[in-house]
Amino acid sequence: KVMEILAPLAQAVVVTRPLSPRAGAWEELATFARRYVEAVYLEREISAALATARRLAGPSDLILVTGSFYMVGEARACLVKEDSWAGCRILR
């Protein structure tokens, strides 16, 4: 349902593997995303997914991270520790 709402608003979607051992077939999310947007990327690591999103985004674009608390927490940890994200605002 979340993909159905958010993907039509995106120019690109980057799908990554959750760190949870209970994670399902995460690659299947790319299939759902392709119903709404052509530019869909798969990255195995959260840090690589963030790097891909940043490479694709323009200076005024928004990068939205969704998923479980574990996924978003790991993404936030990557963003906070990397100097290259110093200009980013992290919403709490």
Side-chain angles (χ1 to χ4, degrees):
K1 188 69 177 171
V2 173
M3 186 71 75
E4 183 180 326
I5 295 168
L6 295 178
L9 304 172
Q11 293 177 342
V13 173
V14 182
V15 178
T16 191
R17 181 178 56 89
L19 294 177
S20 172
R22 298 183 312 162
W26 61 275
E27 297 98 336
E28 289 182 19
L29 286 176
T31 302
F32 295 122
R34 286 188 183 101
R35 294 178 184 173
Y36 307 101
V37 63
E38 287 185 32
V40 178
Y41 302 84
L42 285 169
E43 294 288 354
R44 284 190 130 336
E45 302 294 327
I46 294 171
S47 59
L50 290 169
T52 297
R54 186 162 188 225
R55 180 177 49 80
L56 295 168
S60 62
D61 288 337
L62 171 73
I63 296 173
L64 174 66
V65 177
T66 65
S68 68
F69 287 122
Y70 297 108
M71 171 81 75
V72 175
E74 178 66 22
R76 184 183 183 285
C78 289
L79 294 172
V80 168
K81 77 177 181 179
E82 291 195 18
D83 292 336
S84 62
W85 289 87
C88 294
R89 260 187 4 183
I90 299 174
L91 302 177
R92 300 168 202 260

